[in-house]
Amino acid sequence: MRARRCAIVTMEPRENLEFNLALLSEGGNGLQTVLAWVAVAPHTGGEVAVTAGEVELLGKVSPSAWCDLDDLAALHPPLLIEALLSKSLLVREGSDADGRDRRLRDTHWRSASAAMHYASRWHGVDTEAMGREFEEVSGQTLLERLGPSPPPVRERVDRDRRIRLPAGEASSLDALLAHRATCRNFDRSSALTQAQFAGVLYRTYGARAVDDFAPGVQLLKKGVPSAGGLHATEAYLLVQRVEGIEPGLYHYHPVDHALEPVRTLTAIEAATLARRFVAAQAYFVDAQVMVIPTSRF
């Protein structure tokens, strides 16, 4: 059986404040600081406490070359090895931890970027519940607690020093923009027509042409700008209510102007996932379609 160190792990020496009843009985306040190591490994999806001995051992195991576990046990305490395997910081070949680690390796993240990305993701956030809890605990609304907001514009000079600009001539574009509005209210009793749905997708993500830029190099021409003409941003869709399309997750194919089914969902499953996507912000949950932009690196 072989193992190696996981691809990416960062170590943080952390100082924690803890309560110790024995210290309280000695006449103190019962509080003590405890120094500990914490490992942040993106493939584990969280943090894990490690000992100084485990940190030292990890520094002696290659993240690229596999080593035989028996050979490793001949050089290092077996209990440390087993502890690191159980925490998925050492990964056993063919294990679930190895699979997660390989998927992370395939993304070619820089270590600091991967740690930041995975550590800063939201988990189990429900903004409605948090708002209610805040008001229950504080007895105030957010506005009462935080006070008035700052001015809508940061003014850098006095009013009489501003250089006034002429208004632009009204055009058909102005008339179109005047009719545009941001909506936070979605009618659960209605569905988008396929024509409406397809039109928005094509205008924002659809490829109007494919350019054979060089041998083996094709560039997409879209209605939105993209640095270098790479158009690395694609659309994944959570469909809740579109005529003729089952609720579910889809990938939009910009060249074929077609949907690729990723996962079929019931209406209840789709609504539950939508609520998770928007951290329970109620005014977005009922959107007929949610677009999840993703970029290929």
Side-chain angles (χ1 to χ4, degrees), residues 112-131:
S113 300
M116 183 282 296
H117 174 73
Y118 281 82
S120 61
R121 291 189 303 174
W122 281 16
H123 295 278
V125 177
D126 186 326
T127 53
E128 285 185 316
M130 291 171 65

Side-chain angles (χ1 to χ4, degrees), residues 14-15 19 22 31 57 62 68 71 104 115 133 136 160 191-192 216 224 234 254 256 293:
R14 187 176 293 177
E15 184 178 61
F19 179 77
L31 297 178
L57 174 54
S62 171
D68 189 274
D71 294 340
L104 179 61
E133 183 180 359
E136 290 171 2
D160 58 3
L192 284 179
V224 292
E234 299 183 350
D256 287 354

